[in-house]
Amino acid sequence: MLQDITESNRASWNQIHHARPGEPVSFFTAGGSTLTAEELAAAGDVRGRRVLHLACSCGDEVLSWAQLGASVTGVDISEVALAMAIEKSAATGIPADFVRADMLALPPSLTGFDLIYLSWGAVCWLPDLDVFAESVAARLSPGGSVLIAEHHPAWETLAVRGPNQLEVIADYFGRSTPLAAVDNAKRPTGARDNPDAPAFKAFIWPPSDVITALLKAGLTLTSFQEAPDPDSYPGLDPAASALPATYLIVATRNVSHETLPESP
């Protein structure tokens, strides 16, 4: 069942990824980065660390981490997206590895990472949080962390319909039930304003569910932040700053007692 959902989405991503090129090569050769200050602060110094970016799309964040000195592997379910990422990596001269895989069925070889990263439109494609959390927890090195920077489900649930006017367009507690419809403003780039765009199966997960799944998988919550972003609610004016638009989670795999050095 889970594979049916993710494979259906893979076919849809392949149809629209030509319209999702990300930043140009010149952006990266000039030293550009698509990572936010909040993400960089949460990750800390990544020099010499192994980073796994799940749902990496055309590779912009992969290249951004790599430029900071990390050894980065990007994973995406779409072979079209990965072809774009591989081409961009070669053109910029920024080394990175790329693997086509479903986030819920990663190859056994992908393990031993210091940081596993997901960003901006990844969690909504997960039909099962527990399967996801158990998988990423098992692929972290002791002391390694999962960093999730995401659109807030409140933003996915609300649509601006006029000055100081919001409409509830989805169920905040929808969880494992695919969205019946997606507002045009919330659709992926390439599908937005496109009457011929393929269908996708997306989900709304409250941050509490994401955190609970990570805790059940044995990780320790290190940080949870929610933040506004007025640009996410265009037309709402000052009231937009009173609504959550993004969230950031960091959860860490504890170093087991067996791996700690013995006391002198």
Side-chain angles (χ1 to χ4, degrees):
M1 176 61 177
L2 299 183
Q3 186 177 15
D4 291 343
I5 292 172
T6 56
E7 280 299 300
S8 174
N9 282 339
R10 181 184 69 84
S12 295
W13 284 119
N14 282 340
Q15 291 184 52
I16 67 169
H17 251 299
H18 66 278
R20 299 170 55 83
E23 297 292 344
V25 168
S26 59
F27 175 84
F28 294 100
T29 56
S33 172
T34 56
L35 299 169
T36 68
E38 292 76 16
E39 291 171 306
L40 294 171
D45 187 355
V46 298
R47 285 176 294 180
R49 299 174 70 194
R50 297 188 67 220
V51 175
L52 177 66
H53 182 189
L54 300 178
C56 72
S57 188
C58 61
D60 284 3
E61 285 72 39
V62 170
L63 300 185
S64 297
W65 289 119
Q67 290 207 113
L68 294 172
S71 173
V72 192
T73 299
V75 170
D76 201 274
I77 199 169
S78 166
E79 53 266 41
V80 175
L82 284 188
M84 297 166 67
I86 291 168
E87 182 179 355
K88 193 178 294 188
S89 174
T92 58
I94 303 172
D97 295 321
F98 294 95
V99 177
R100 197 209 74 80
D102 182 343
M103 285 191 289
L104 299 183
L106 296 172
S109 58
L110 292 179
T111 190
F113 290 94
D114 302 299
L115 180 70
I116 297 179
Y117 168 73
L118 296 88
S119 68
W120 315 118
V123 170
C124 66
W125 306 111
L126 293 169
D128 192 306
L129 288 183
D130 288 337
V131 171
F132 159 74
E134 290 169 5
S135 176
V136 297
R139 294 166 196 282
L140 285 172
S141 295
S145 297
V146 177
L147 168 58
I148 301 174
E150 264 295 356
H151 305 297
H152 200 286
W155 172 80
E156 297 178 281
T157 304
L158 301 172
V160 179
R161 295 301 188 226
N164 209 30
Q165 181 181 358
L166 292 169
E167 179 185 355
V168 177
I169 57 172
D171 183 359
Y172 186 94
F173 302 103
R175 296 188 167 97
S176 58
T177 301
L179 288 169
V182 179
D183 186 71
N184 181 63
K186 322 293 183 184
R187 301 177 80 188
T189 301
R192 202 173 304 146
D193 299 317
N194 180 0
D196 299 320
F200 288 91
K201 291 184 179 178
F203 305 85
I204 290 181
W205 294 105
S208 57
D209 286 22
V210 180
I211 291 170
T212 298
L214 295 170
L215 295 177
K216 285 170 60 179
L219 301 181
T220 298
L221 181 65
T222 306
S223 178
F224 173 51
Q225 306 168 33
E226 297 172 286
D229 175 26
D231 291 341
S232 295
Y233 298 96
L236 204 56
D237 300 324
S241 296
L243 291 171
T246 67
Y247 71 86
L248 187 148
I249 293 171
V250 180
T252 302
R253 178 181 172 185
N254 292 334
V255 178
S256 68
H257 294 297
E258 289 77 8
T259 61
L260 289 173
E262 294 183 4
S263 300

